[in-house]
Amino acid sequence: MKIQRYVAFIALVLVSTLCQAQSFQFAFVSDTHIGNPTAQEDLERTIADINANPSLEFVVITGDITEFGSDEELKLAKQIFDTLKKPWYIVPGNHDTNWSESGSNSFRVVFGAETFAFTHKGYLFAGTGSGPNMRMGPGQIPREHIVWLDSVFTHMPNPDMPVVFLNHYPQDSSLNNWYDVTDRLRTRNTQLILHGHGHNNREYRYDGIPAVMGRSNLRAKEEVGGYNIVTFSNGKAGFEIRKPGIETLPKWIEVPLVKHDFAKDPTRHHRPSFAINKLYPNVKLVWEYQDDSDVGAGTAAYKNLVIATNTTGRIYALDQKTGERKWTYRTNGKIYSTPAVANGYVVVGSSDNNIYCLSAKTGKLVWKFAADRPVLGSPLIEKGIAYIGASDGHFRALDLKTGKLLWDFDQVNNFVVTQPLLYQGRVYFGSWGNEFYALDAKTGQLAWKWSNGSSNRMFSPASCYPVAANGRIFIVAPDRFMTSLDANTGEVIWREQMKKGRVRESMGISNDGSLVYVKTMEGQVYGVSTSANNLQVDWKSTLQLPYELAPSAIIEHNNVVLVPSHSGLVSALDRRKGEVLWKYKSSNSLMNPVMPLGKNRVVVSTMDGKIVCLEYKPAK
């Protein structure tokens, strides 16, 4: 937060602390889902109703503003909200960030910020955004938002001021890092949490803090949509459902607004367990690096360096032996592109619409190439050419040394987030438009494209890293289908759902090319034959994870199969027997692709900004 914003915020706090909490009313709106068939009309009706009520002093909106987080939806939502004649405060939800063509960048551009803090009649209202951002998984409050919340609490002149915290998600285990927030809230006089996500009105309690979930503004099966009118009066918060233009229903809940002595709370609230790290003495932590932002992509290696990125737009290098930061380069957008390194160059895309090439040794800019939209795809470098997709409908091949455009395929439906596959002279990748492409690697000409036939883009084969063997391309997708395509023609060889378990987006290939590893949502890992004419399971691991969503790729290295998870756990499996060799839990957040480092080390990064180097004893 800029100094000017701090000064203004502190001034508001000082004014507010001069008076005690007073009675007031405000509108609590959530889950507007612009892009839904009735969403625009429902929201316009709600705003007209709010504007007509002089008792409402401000409006809070707790996420899922749009259906897909598209730039078009966000701009339309902003246009509608701008008709409000009262102060309004807004945060994003998972629908605004998970399928975002801008890499979750457009929300803050369109609305000005992803967080807010303001005081009103003796209360501090503070709101943060929540993901998952760009990767399917449990929710997560971005690391940079938690750092921001720390700064807000640190600069409160009166630590006893009553606090109301707002977020899209429930502050429980549906968020990977709920405890990072509730632990902080419990250090202050937090009296209430407001959130959406569940589309219903309900009362909750999170780690001892009272909370209220607000209904969706959508009408669903009703005549009109609706929102909550919240009244703070006489030490209580009352909630009434307002049907715009029709009626206000009787108060459905009243929550006491009191100071809780959290320090004396004897309850042992649930926290993630890291006890598993004591069960496998054959793996140990070498070093750990904690970023102040999310790390939304995997890492790359160059000589004695580990190259990483974060969602404040930084590309940086860490010492492989110590984890100490050696150099940093700043872009102007969030980064969800896993860097690629070759010949002393590192290439990465940014949501600021540029593709960057830096010196891997020094971090100095070599060249950058401007796309028309954010670049969320991860590059692949082969024989001096960098291949990368973007959100502007283009997939490009660039000269590694100069950044010169070698060819440009401009017919991609929707946007690209995956790392492409180069196989038998062709480049293969999927998009969030339900299509999968094969391009000539030399010319960029379309060889073929395949569609899954779905009208729902959430089922797109977009996030998986495709693999190939025996003249076949293999992909998995959120529709729970695994598909084998002829690499030459694009014809379907087989397309099946597993009889036991549901595949989703996480897959990889064995070093000998005989198996495609797939991870199911039920937490099992299988090896599917690359030569059979149906989905034939030839290998199964003994690993059993809980419910699992992480789309990150599975990697085999030196006969060890490395499996990432959405809860910060990496599992190492024996390639021959499928037995678990070791497990290590570095955090509780979604894990990016694991990077082998030498013979017996791996680097693991997680979405909460943690990067760790592990060393393990090779299997006998």
Side-chain angles (χ1 to χ4, degrees):
M1 182 183 290
K2 294 182 179 179
I3 293 175
Q4 294 92 330
R5 293 179 66 188
Y6 272 130
V7 171
F9 169 70
I10 292 171
L12 284 171
V13 172
L14 287 170
V15 170
S16 298
T17 54
L18 295 177
C19 60
Q20 296 180 348
Q22 304 172 42
S23 299
F24 59 93
Q25 283 188 331
F26 63 93
F28 172 24
V29 181
S30 194
D31 295 85
T32 55
H33 287 277
I34 293 297
N36 179 283
T38 69
Q40 181 174 350
E41 182 180 343
D42 291 341
L43 182 55
E44 288 173 344
R45 183 182 286 112
T46 287
I47 288 178
D49 192 75
I50 292 171
N51 285 337
N53 186 344
S55 297
L56 298 176
E57 299 185 27
F58 60 90
V59 185
V60 293
I61 309 108
T62 55
D64 275 7
I65 310 306
T66 64
E67 189 71 7
F68 287 110
S70 71
D71 287 2
E72 180 182 2
E73 291 172 346
L74 288 168
K75 290 176 182 177
L76 176 58
K78 177 64 160 54
Q79 179 182 332
I80 299 171
F81 279 116
D82 276 342
T83 63
L84 275 167
K85 297 178 181 179
K86 304 172 188 290
W88 54 278
Y89 307 90
I90 192 167
V91 292
N94 57 298
H95 274 258
D96 306 311
T97 58
N98 191 27
W99 298 279
S100 168
E101 65 196 86
S102 70
S104 308
N105 217 42
S106 287
F107 190 95
R108 65 180 179 182
V109 172
V110 171
F111 289 100
E114 299 170 307
T115 59
F116 65 75
F118 68 96
T119 58
H120 190 81
K121 295 185 177 179
Y123 288 87
L124 167 65
F125 289 77
T128 68
S130 58
N133 291 332
M134 302 308 300
R135 306 274 194 279
M136 177 51 69
Q140 178 179 312
I141 295 180
R143 171 72 180 167
E144 54 265 38
H145 291 190
I146 292 175
V147 172
W148 171 86
L149 188 62
D150 282 338
S151 71
V152 170
F153 285 171
T154 299
H155 289 84
M156 289 176 65
N158 178 11
D160 287 331
M161 173 180 280
V163 174
V164 178
F165 177 71
L166 301 96
N167 192 254
H168 177 65
Y169 262 87
Q171 300 303 296
D172 58 16
S173 58
S174 58
L175 279 170
N176 269 338
N177 60 344
W178 83 94
Y179 53 94
D180 281 336
V181 177
T182 57
D183 283 351
R184 286 164 168 81
L185 295 178
R186 286 165 60 91
T187 67
R188 292 295 185 266
N189 181 16
T190 304
Q191 299 189 355
L192 183 63
I193 294 174
L194 300 179
H195 67 85
H197 192 61
H199 287 216
N200 290 298
N201 286 322
R202 290 182 184 173
E203 181 184 16
Y204 290 95
R205 203 170 187 90
Y206 303 123
D207 292 353
I209 307 172
V212 172
M213 173 192 286
R215 60 157 292 164
S216 168
N217 191 64
L218 294 174
R219 70 185 71 174
K221 296 180 181 180
E222 299 178 357
E223 180 183 359
V224 298
Y227 64 99
N228 275 279
I229 292 177
V230 186
T231 303
F232 278 27
S233 180
N234 298 320
K236 296 178 181 179
F239 292 76
E240 301 166 298
I241 297 174
R242 174 65 183 170
K243 292 187 175 182
I246 300 178
E247 62 179 336
T248 301
L249 300 181
K251 188 183 301 179
W252 66 269
I253 191 69
E254 194 169 63
V255 181
L257 296 171
V258 298
K259 183 175 182 179
H260 303 271
D261 195 347
F262 297 117
K264 294 182 179 179
D265 180 6
T267 308
R268 296 190 64 179
H269 299 288
H270 170 67
R271 294 292 182 265
S273 173
F274 291 80
I276 197 166
N277 293 344
K278 298 179 181 179
L279 300 180
Y280 295 93
N282 53 332
V283 60
K284 66 177 183 179
L285 178 68
V286 179
W287 53 258
E288 176 179 297
Y289 176 84
Q290 179 63 66
D291 203 310
D292 284 339
S293 304
D294 279 5
V295 172
T299 54
Y302 172 74
K303 294 185 177 180
N304 64 332
L305 299 175
V306 172
I307 313 296
T309 60
N310 68 19
T311 54
T312 53
R314 289 181 172 87
I315 309 166
Y316 55 91
L318 305 177
D319 187 284
Q320 285 189 7
K321 294 182 179 180
T322 66
E324 178 186 357
R325 186 181 287 203
K326 291 297 184 181
W327 57 254
T328 302
Y329 182 88
R330 180 74 180 266
T331 75
N332 294 315
K334 299 182 180 182
I335 297 178
Y336 292 99
S337 172
T338 295
V341 174
N343 304 328
Y345 301 98
V346 54
V347 177
V348 66
S350 173
S351 62
D352 68 1
N353 299 6
N354 286 292
I355 302 163
Y356 290 85
C357 179
L358 311 179
S359 165
K361 181 179 180 180
T362 65
K364 292 183 178 180
L365 180 67
V366 178
W367 54 261
K368 70 177 180 178
F369 183 94
D372 295 325
R373 301 291 299 280
V375 184
L376 310 178
S378 297
L380 171 72
I381 301 175
E382 185 71 25
K383 296 181 179 179
I385 300 175
Y387 302 93
I388 189 168
S391 297
D392 56 3
H394 293 251
F395 189 94
R396 298 174 173 89
L398 305 172
D399 183 272
L400 179 60
K401 291 184 178 180
T402 66
K404 178 183 177 182
L405 181 65
L406 301 178
W407 54 256
D408 182 359
F409 177 74
D410 61 358
Q411 301 169 44
V412 179
N413 183 17
N414 227 294
F415 63 103
V416 177
V417 297
T418 187
Q419 182 186 77
L421 167 71
L422 185 62
Y423 180 69
Q424 294 182 346
R426 287 178 177 169
V427 181
Y428 301 87
F429 63 94
S431 77
W432 277 111
N434 288 308
E435 292 183 341
F436 189 82
Y437 302 85
L439 309 181
D440 185 288
K442 292 183 179 179
T443 66
Q445 293 296 310
L446 179 68
W448 54 260
K449 69 178 178 180
W450 173 83
S451 172
N452 61 14
S454 175
S455 59
N456 187 344
R457 72 171 187 153
M458 291 184 184
F459 291 154
S460 300
S463 285
C464 73
Y465 286 12
V467 298
N470 299 320
R472 302 173 178 188
I473 306 298
F474 298 89
I475 53 176
V476 289
D479 60 7
R480 282 66 154 170
F481 276 92
M482 184 174 185
T483 305
S484 174
L485 303 171
D486 185 292
N488 187 45
T489 66
E491 293 181 0
V492 175
I493 298 174
W494 55 260
R495 174 170 164 79
E496 300 180 32
Q497 292 181 325
M498 297 190 77
K499 295 179 180 179
K500 295 182 179 180
R502 297 166 293 169
V503 297
R504 191 175 173 93
E505 294 167 306
S506 180
M507 62 185 300
I509 188 121
S510 63
N511 286 343
D512 62 10
S514 65
L515 298 174
V516 175
Y517 300 117
V518 293
K519 181 179 60 179
T520 68
M521 295 170 66
E522 290 73 23
Q524 297 171 325
V525 177
Y526 296 95
V528 176
S529 171
T530 60
S531 57
N533 289 323
N534 63 318
L535 198 164
Q536 177 180 305
V537 176
D538 284 354
W539 181 91
K540 180 182 178 181
S541 168
T542 59
L543 179 68
Q544 180 59 64
L545 299 170
Y547 179 70
E548 175 57 35
L549 290 173
S552 303
I554 299 170
I555 295 172
E556 182 186 328
H557 179 70
N558 288 343
N559 291 319
V560 176
V561 182
L562 300 164
V563 183
S565 77
H566 72 221
S567 58
L569 178 76
V570 57
S571 301
L573 313 177
D574 185 280
R575 162 64 178 90
R576 292 159 293 186
K577 300 179 181 180
E579 297 176 349
V580 176
L581 299 174
W582 53 264
K583 298 178 184 179
Y584 191 91
K585 186 175 175 68
S586 62
S587 84
N588 200 52
S589 291
L590 188 145
M591 185 170 287
N592 300 306
V594 181
M595 183 183 74
L597 194 64
K599 292 183 179 180
N600 62 334
R601 287 190 176 188
V602 295
V603 173
V604 174
S605 66
T606 47
M607 192 69 85
D608 59 352
K610 188 170 288 186
I611 304 173
V612 303
C613 178
L614 305 175
E615 183 175 275
Y616 62 92
K617 294 180 181 179
K620 296 181 180 179

